[in-house]
Amino acid sequence: QVQLVESGGGLVQAGGSLRLSCVASGRTIYTMGWFRQAPGKEREFVAAVCWRGGSTNYADSVKGRFTISRDNSKNTGYLQMNSLKPEDTAVYYCAADQNFLRCSEYAKDYDYWGQGTQVTVSS
């Protein structure tokens, strides 16, 4: 089993920055992804960092503003969010995929999920 705990959410003005963290315990995680869900909307992919080569994948809506990274020695992932917009307001979830051959943008491919952290961007 893997437990994921997110932190770093909060309230920020448009144009500001936040850094989310996700600490994994229990087992080594492979691909780590971030998803978000706004009220009344489907959960959507934000970014993923792959086990193989550490490559990254981003949703078009966050490219150039968000950066995903990981520290394997700490089994921790990060999502640096810059130039935040009101439309980034959502609950952000980190997720872990134990299939190290895959680096998916689909929520169904992830095995473990954190409890979520609220990000609110005011205009």
Side-chain angles (χ1 to χ4, degrees):
Q1 276 285 17
V2 173
Q3 293 79 42
L4 302 173
V5 178
E6 303 103 332
S7 61
L11 172 64
V12 64
Q13 288 189 331
S17 299
L18 284 173
R19 188 173 89 150
L20 306 183
S21 299
C22 176
V23 179
S25 60
R27 294 173 62 179
T28 299
I29 61 171
Y30 294 109
T31 293
M32 174 178 277
W34 287 92
F35 291 78
R36 66 186 182 187
Q37 187 165 18
K41 294 190 175 181
E42 299 281 324
R43 188 170 297 190
E44 65 174 0
F45 171 76
V46 176
V49 56
C50 315
W51 177 256
R52 298 180 74 184
S55 59
T56 56
N57 187 18
Y58 295 93
D60 288 342
S61 59
V62 306
K63 277 181 184 175
R65 300 188 298 123
F66 291 12
T67 303
I68 190 171
S69 62
R70 64 190 297 163
D71 183 339
N72 291 335
S73 67
K74 298 179 180 179
N75 224 17
T76 299
Y78 305 95
L79 185 68
Q80 177 67 43
M81 306 185 295
N82 298 329
S83 302
L84 282 161
K85 305 175 181 179
E87 52 263 43
D88 293 319
T89 295
V91 177
Y92 283 70
Y93 299 90
C94 70
D97 181 359
Q98 293 301 99
N99 184 341
F100 64 89
L101 296 176
R102 181 170 61 197
C103 196
S104 175
E105 62 186 63
Y106 299 104
K108 66 178 180 62
D109 290 332
Y110 287 79
D111 304 296
Y112 302 100
W113 292 83
Q115 82 287 352
T117 185
Q118 177 71 46
V119 171
T120 303
V121 184
S122 63
S123 57

